[in-house]
Amino acid sequence: MKTLPVCVGLLLMLFTWTVCVWADSRRQKRAWIIDSFTIEEENPGPYPYILGKIELNQSYLVRYQLKGQGVDLEPKGILNIDKKGNVLVYGKVDFENKQGIKVLRSTFEAKDKSNDEVDTRLGVHIQILDINDHAPKFQQSVYEVTVDESHSQGKTVVTVLASDEDDSRTNNGTFDLTIKSVTPTPENVKFYIQQQKDVNQQQQQFGKVYFNGCLNYEKAQKYTILVEAKDKGEKIQLSSTSTVIINILDKNNNLPEFSGKTGPGKVKERETGVEVLRLQVTDKDTRGSEAWKAKYTIHGDKKEQFQIETDPKTNEGILTVVKQMDYEEQTYQNLSISVQNELPYFSCKVKKQVENAKWEVDIIPQNSGMSVENLYNTIPVTIYVEDVNDPPVFIPPVKHVHIMENIAAGTSLTTFTAKDMDGSLTNTFKFVKGEDIDGWITIDAKTGRVSTNKILDRESPFGINSTYRATLYAVDDGVPSLTGTGTLFIHLNDQNDNAPMLEVNTVNMCLDTEPTVANITAVDLDLHPYSSPFNYELLGYVKDKWRVEPTHGTTVSLVKEHSVYSGHHLLQIKISDQQGLSSIQNLSVTVCDCSIAPDCHVRMTRMAQMGPAAAWIVVLTVLIFIAMCLMVLLISCKAEKKMIEMDDGIGCLIKTNTENPGTDCVVPSSIGIQKTDSSNVNTSFKLSTNVISSHKLTSRTVIHKTLEAPQLDFPDQMSIRSIDRSSTRSYRENFNRSSIRSSAFYGNAAYLTNSLAVIINKKLLALQTRDEEFVVYEPHCYTDEGQAMDNAELDALSIPENDFHPEMLINLDNRFCQLAIISRPDLMQR
């Protein structure tokens, strides 16, 4: 109880202290926000100037202070306050500043000079007022767009965008978009612009350009529009412009029109791929564009005999015949040809101009009930057909004949009929065989009757499925001559004219203690019932060795008994078809030990295979043989130097070893032979011989005898004409090689020359007395090499028999004796 008064006292003291503190606080920190000041942007001054004054009702001394935006915050240094409370402006402010500050927010403080405590704190708001210092600006200085001339009215052509940095809440930031000019002056078209604000950006506005009426490329390919944006400033109105370029793209608003046609306008019958007409058109659309390119259509060509194409350079229509036309069926063809463009046709015409609304226009094909095809230009065309010679026509063109095979040659098969289809030209024609691969038929040129040329065989490789095909021609005599073609099919019925034969006539079988089996098959070219199944019968002594199971069928089994030894066995099998026609076939059977090789053929093949060592031996042998042949060839090619063999005789035979044509042999006059009345002496020795009938005379052969007499004196030279000129050339070669050696022979055997000279002089005197026999001998060709002659005989010697004396051989070489015995055995016997 004693403590209660103390507590109450303490509470009273605490309450009193709280009230005093609150009262002091209310006195020292009074603060409120006053009305805002306004400042106009871009004020020209002079600076500083008083914007306004802050009034305080204070009885004690205070000091004023201003801080915040415009003072110590951006934009700095613009505002300040003096000791009287006047707010001073020290510079320009910009409504469109980068910071986007439209209101300067500052704080005013009044401090007690005695203790420098804030006595009053006020919030000061200074609003920046906008002036019209920015003109509206377009996003692009030039807008360019391309539209079709078929662009419909009321559709947006282009959209422009403009903005104003001034305050959009005032007239300074509000502007209008207008079209100031259009170049060139439009005809039947009016451009206008509609303005719309951007909901996201209040300072921006859209302007959409439209038009009323119809665009026409032929009147204006481009429009240049000047668009102006002008604000609504109270003191001054600012504006800017932008250029809008609208390019017009040509479309097909002009149909092509026919202007002429060129060409023969006629075609020969059966002629195709021929140009008959060219159609010219004109089009006002842009040359080379799809709106200019013409597309032609043919009407009235039910048989589709014509085709029309467009020349890409001239735009002409080229009419061509693509199917043959027949003069006998039609002499002319009427057509109509229409023309259009590759691009669909479009047309727009203004009917009525309405203010502030869409104009009334007539658009084809959108608003018109008329079909576009009815607007296309059409031209009539007549194509005439010229008559020419027509080929004959087979009636019918194909014939089928069914006959039995093996019919006799000359059998009539059928008769073909042909007709000349010419109406104005009458020709005759003949029948000619065409394709007849195996020469089966003949045809009568006048009647067309077809007959067999030989016995026909169904199994001929030239027949396909028992059918043979041949073609026939009917050729007229027109100018030019034309040909019609007919076809004959000969169907052959089968006969039993082929015996069955083994398909394979060799069989391999294994050697075994038990019977072994191999399959054999027979084939027959005939058809059923003249072919399989066959009957098989083994011929000869085959009991307990060979048998056939079964004996009836196409493929049967050949059974070998265990008693058959290994090796090759030749069996005879009689094979008969269903009609009893048979043949005896030889079957070669090889029996071998299959424990060594599973197949006899494989075994023999392996035995015949050559090992690597044997292959190398064969290669080496071949190389050695080739080397030896080359050595023999080199040795045989060396020039042979051979001494002339002389014996006691006074003459010799010269080996010529040649079959080449010969020439004259000339003996120089220096030999010293005495002059005679003859300037040239020709001596011909003709030898006759019998040729064995089993051989052939294959070359011209002449034996020359040359004698030299150094003591005789001829005027110029002695010529001996040779039958074979090649022998003379060979003689000259031998003469040159042996001339030196012959000189030694003449020195050692002088006595022989005297005897020989006497004999020659006698012979010359005898020849001089018979002038009628002194003729130039022409060589006689007995035969040519490679031609066979049996029992050929050479001509008789030209020297009379009574002029030959055996005593002449006394001084001759013994080989001449042998020759004389062969040539004149009758005289030598005496």
Side-chain angles (χ1 to χ4, degrees), residues 405 438 440 454 456-464 468 492:
E405 69 171 330
D438 200 26
W440 281 24
K454 61 181 181 179
L456 307 185
D457 185 10
R458 189 197 67 84
E459 292 78 24
S460 170
F462 300 100
I464 300 176
Y468 182 80
L492 298 174

Side-chain angles (χ1 to χ4, degrees), residues 478-668:
V479 179
S481 179
L482 297 179
T483 301
T485 303
T487 305
L488 174 64
F489 288 97
I490 303 174
H491 303 275
L492 298 174
N493 298 325
D494 191 23
Q495 286 185 340
N496 193 16
D497 57 345
N498 291 279
M501 302 178 65
L502 286 175
E503 186 177 33
V504 178
N505 58 1
T506 59
V507 175
N508 297 324
M509 303 183 73
C510 294
L511 184 66
D512 200 345
T513 57
E514 299 295 332
T516 55
V517 178
N519 291 332
I520 56 175
T521 303
V523 293
D524 194 329
L525 298 178
D526 293 326
L527 301 177
H528 183 79
Y530 306 118
S531 59
S532 61
F534 308 111
N535 288 321
Y536 293 83
E537 180 184 356
L538 285 174
L539 303 179
Y541 181 72
V542 294
K543 184 178 181 181
D544 298 331
K545 293 183 179 180
W546 307 91
R547 69 176 186 272
V548 174
E549 291 183 355
T551 59
H552 187 72
T554 302
T555 299
V556 296
S557 298
L558 176 66
V559 181
K560 178 187 70 65
E561 301 294 346
H562 63 85
S563 60
V564 178
Y565 56 86
S566 63
H568 296 281
H569 303 268
L570 183 63
L571 304 179
Q572 286 190 331
I573 302 179
K574 181 180 179 181
I575 309 173
S576 304
D577 60 19
Q578 297 183 58
Q579 307 304 322
L581 183 62
S582 62
S583 66
I584 298 176
Q585 301 286 303
N586 292 327
L587 178 62
S588 177
V589 183
T590 302
V591 180
C592 66
D593 189 357
C594 293
S595 62
I596 301 176
D599 189 355
C600 298
H601 176 71
V602 174
R603 178 184 177 185
M604 290 185 293
T605 304
R606 290 181 178 177
M607 292 175 64
Q609 289 181 350
M610 184 183 298
W616 280 109
I617 293 174
V618 172
V619 172
L620 183 60
T621 304
V622 171
L623 294 176
I624 294 173
F625 177 75
I626 294 174
M628 293 177 65
C629 291
L630 292 175
M631 293 178 63
V632 171
L633 181 62
L634 293 175
I635 294 173
S636 62
C637 291
K638 292 183 178 180
E640 181 181 1
K641 297 182 180 180
K642 187 175 181 180
M643 295 295 293
I644 298 177
E645 298 179 1
M646 300 298 295
D647 53 13
D648 294 339
I650 60 175
C652 65
L653 290 176
I654 300 175
K655 296 182 180 180
T656 59
N657 294 329
T658 181
E659 293 179 354
N660 296 328
T663 184
D664 294 339
C665 178
V666 179
V667 180

Side-chain angles (χ1 to χ4, degrees), residues 744-794:
F745 163 76
Y746 289 126
N748 296 329
Y751 68 95
L752 294 177
T753 59
N754 295 330
S755 300
L756 182 60
V758 173
I759 297 172
I760 292 175
N761 286 331
K762 290 180 179 181
K763 186 63 180 178
L764 291 177
L765 291 174
L767 291 174
Q768 291 174 3
T769 59
R770 300 180 62 178
D771 294 337
E772 67 278 4
E773 296 181 2
F774 186 75
V775 294
V776 177
Y777 177 75
E778 294 296 333
H780 175 72
C781 178
Y782 295 97
T783 184
D784 290 330
E785 181 178 2
Q787 296 180 355
M789 291 183 63
D790 296 335
N791 298 324
E793 181 174 331
L794 300 177

Side-chain angles (χ1 to χ4, degrees), residues 38 76 152 190 208 312-313 318 329 364 369 376 381 418-419 449 471 519 566 574 581 625 656 676 744 761 830:
T38 60
K76 296 179 180 181
S152 300
K190 180 181 180 181
K208 294 184 177 182
K313 295 183 179 179
I318 306 173
E329 294 182 0
I364 299 176
Y376 297 153
V381 171
K419 182 180 179 181
R449 179 183 177 186
T471 58
N519 291 332
S566 63
K574 181 180 179 181
L581 183 62
F625 177 75
T656 59
T676 63
N761 286 331
R830 294 181 295 179

